[in-house]
Amino acid sequence: MKKVMIVTGGSRGIGAATAKLAASRGYQVCVNFHKNEAAANQVVDDITAAGGAAIAVQADVSDESDVKRLFSSVDEKLGPITALVNNAGILEQQMRVEAINAARLKRIFEANVVGSFLCAREAVKRMSEKHGGQGGAIVNVSSAAARLGAAGEYVDYAASKGAIDTFTIGLSREVAEEGIRVNAVRPAFIYTDMHADGGEPGRVDRIAESLPMKRGGHPSEVANAILWLLSDEASYTTGTFIDLAGGK
Ligand code: NAP
């Protein structure tokens, strides 16, 4: 069966590492991006230079019409989707809960939660054997923050990832007998540019010494777990989590 994957937020960080690893394992990959077209095109160029197949498609995952357009362009250009990585996510400046306003909460929950629901909805419509599809697998990118709470940094972000954990359990049970597996990874302290968005580019190095493994993680280490969960090796695994947080 042809393997077709959408990686949301594939233009950098964990998403870019996942897109490249997937392409090297025979997936045709749609690298979704929001604002950074040049970075997404670079990921596509890297994949094609290595002999793989990929396209870049702009879409804001929190926008319903963008998500519909994203999935229909993949239908047209690559064919039926077999794997979705719900990776796109944001956080904002570190602050305590009493300083967080409603506009920020909306942005966080729309990008992280609404976006994942909308993309999963479109994937299920296409993959479900109930709808004539061939099955498939979804991996949601949650965070260890869902367990740890991110106190003093971004409790809003952590709570949005808590929602992703519950979403993973619920959706996995809803579609388990329709040929779709749904799992999640819960990374933390991974070297990406996301920490700069929170106002602390050196955050991983600051925390590394306090982790059981005494080091931060790399996007490729998260990508390896995502690809395993999507693979046939994980054929009896659904509704579960792999933590990638250096033992924390
Ligand atoms: P990152 O380097 O900041 O990359 C985020 C990606 O998401 C970018 O490609 C960005 O696209 C895309 N994106 C953001 N908002 C979007 C939207 N509305 N629609 C579509 N794409 C959007 O982040 P990362 O560190 O790789 O994190 C990836 C995922 O892992 C996130 O869900 C994050 O919460 C989770 N995570 C990361 C860590 C960590 O330590 N880094 C820990 C736990 C969980 P553009 O650049 O094109 O705008």
Side-chain angles (χ1 to χ4, degrees):
M1 187 166 87
K2 190 174 146 187
K3 299 193 289 186
V4 174
M5 175 186 295
I6 295 177
V7 183
T8 66
S11 53
R12 67 183 209 183
I14 293 167
T18 302
K20 289 182 195 175
L21 185 63
S24 77
R25 298 208 180 151
Y27 285 90
Q28 299 193 15
V29 182
C30 169
V31 178
N32 158 252
F33 66 99
H34 184 205
K35 292 183 178 150
N36 198 340
E37 181 166 21
N41 286 338
Q42 186 60 54
V43 174
V44 169
D45 288 350
D46 291 348
I47 288 172
T48 45
I55 58 170
V57 178
Q58 191 284 331
D60 175 353
V61 294
S62 67
D63 182 298
E64 193 158 21
S65 58
D66 274 18
V67 171
K68 286 183 182 164
R69 178 175 49 73
L70 166 66
F71 278 77
S72 52
S73 9
V74 171
D75 292 340
E76 267 167 44
K77 293 179 184 149
L78 301 180
I81 181 183
T82 61
L84 168 67
V85 183
N86 257 330
N87 166 78
I90 58 166
L91 49 70
E92 297 197 11
Q93 196 70 25
Q94 294 171 350
M95 61 178 69
R96 287 166 55 95
V97 169
E98 65 255 40
I100 297 176
N101 64 25
R104 165 168 161 158
L105 289 171
K106 256 186 111 186
R107 288 192 297 274
I108 296 291
F109 280 82
E110 284 183 355
N112 297 357
V113 183
V114 176
S116 295
F117 267 79
L118 292 176
C119 291
R121 182 190 73 191
E122 293 305 309
V124 167
K125 282 188 198 167
R126 288 160 173 81
M127 292 174 179
S128 172
E129 289 164 359
K130 190 176 135 201
H131 300 308
Q134 319 166 66
I138 297 172
V139 170
N140 295 323
V141 181
S142 173
S143 170
R147 293 185 284 108
L148 301 171
E153 294 188 311
Y154 12 70
V155 173
D156 52 347
Y157 166 83
S160 76
K161 295 300 187 176
I164 292 300
D165 285 4
T166 307
F167 173 51
T168 301
I169 294 165
L171 181 64
S172 71
R173 292 178 183 174
E174 202 165 286
V175 298
E177 60 178 327
E178 298 165 27
I180 306 175
R181 295 182 301 102
V182 185
N183 293 288
V185 290
R186 281 192 299 223
F189 323 114
I190 309 298
Y191 287 104
T192 73
D193 294 331
M194 176 175 250
H195 307 283
D197 294 343
E200 190 186 358
R203 178 173 177 266
V204 177
D205 283 332
R206 169 176 61 82
I207 294 170
E209 262 304 301
S210 70
L211 301 176
M213 283 190 171
K214 307 284 181 212
R215 69 167 180 90
H218 298 283
S220 61
E221 296 180 289
V222 184
N224 282 328
I226 293 172
L227 264 293
W228 182 77
L229 285 169
L230 293 172
S231 76
D232 289 341
E233 290 184 1
S235 53
Y236 199 50
T237 301
T238 198
T240 194
F241 305 88
I242 295 181
D243 285 348
L244 301 122
K248 183 135 183 189

